[in-house]
């Protein structure tokens, strides 16, 4: 019951209500065990998140081209391929062609306990071919060489093309984030990430 009441508090505070207004509503809302139904919980905390298993299959496929960026000065970040040989990352990760030239894009840097163990592949950037950056919007696009240091083709990983059409996602909609937080092996955030304006 305490957990359900906490969910109500969170929902009300998300509506920009004052704590006094929240407390007033809660004080007139006694909860009994009979009030806590599956439907009530799903309604209050959006717990009904049933998805087709294909959702995970698509996510795994999309995550293939997400990798860690390691710079010469020890900084780390995340990037992903948006064309067969072009990567996008944040400006604060690769600010200049000179930094990109001395950095590496690492794919298959993952923890995996099932199936064949993955071997990290390291690719060099090729900013002489293509480099575009924008500090204000915090992004950098840079070319990546087509083979890793051990000879694996970059094309094995696919890419996620940038789509110019509007309406792909709306403000407030949930997003999943595949990343290398603080340079750690690849992880995914499945909850509490939303598109904001």
């Amino acid at each position: 019951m305490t957990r359900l009441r906490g969910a109500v508090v969170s929902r009300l505070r998300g509506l920009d209500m004052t704590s006094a207004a929240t407390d007033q509503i809660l004080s007139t809302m006694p909860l009994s065990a009979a009030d806590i139904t599956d439907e009530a919980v799903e309604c209050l905390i959006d717990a009904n998140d049933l998805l087709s298993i294909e959702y995970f299959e698509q996510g795994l496929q999309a995550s293939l081209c997400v990798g860690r960026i390691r710079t010469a000065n020890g900084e780390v970040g995340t990037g992903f391929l948006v064309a067969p040989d072009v990567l996008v990352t944040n400006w604060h990760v690769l600010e200049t062609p000179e930094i990109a030239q001395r950095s590496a894009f690492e794919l298959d840097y993952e923890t995996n306990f099932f199936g064949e163990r993955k071997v990290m592949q390291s690719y060099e950037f090729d900013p002489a071919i293509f480099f575009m950056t924008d500090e204000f919007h915090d992004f950098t696009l840079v070319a990546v060489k087509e083979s890793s240091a051990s000879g694996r083709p970059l094309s094995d990983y696919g890419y996620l093309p940038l789509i110019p059409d509007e309406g792909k996602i709306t403000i407030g909609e949930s997003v999943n984030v595949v990343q290398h937080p603080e340079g750690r092996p690849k992880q995914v955030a499945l909850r509490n990430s939303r598109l904001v304006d």
Side-chain angles (χ1 to χ4, degrees), residues 71-141:
T71 67
N73 61 8
E75 297 294 321
V76 289
T78 300
F80 62 95
L81 295 165
V82 294
D85 60 352
V86 176
L87 166 144
V88 66
T89 188
N90 297 108
W91 170 85
H92 65 262
V93 175
L94 297 177
E95 298 178 7
T96 67
E98 292 74 26
I99 292 174
Q101 188 70 55
R102 300 189 313 271
S103 302
F105 179 47
E106 299 171 337
L107 290 166
D108 280 338
Y109 180 53
E110 305 175 16
T111 302
N112 65 296
F113 299 103
F114 303 101
E116 187 176 342
R117 185 150 185 83
K118 293 187 176 182
V119 177
M120 186 191 72
Q121 302 294 318
S122 181
Y123 296 82
E124 294 179 351
F125 292 110
D126 198 349
I129 296 295
F130 183 78
F131 186 88
M132 184 173 88
T133 192
D134 186 317
E135 179 179 1
F136 179 78
H137 293 101
D138 193 25
F139 79 86
T140 294
L141 291 158

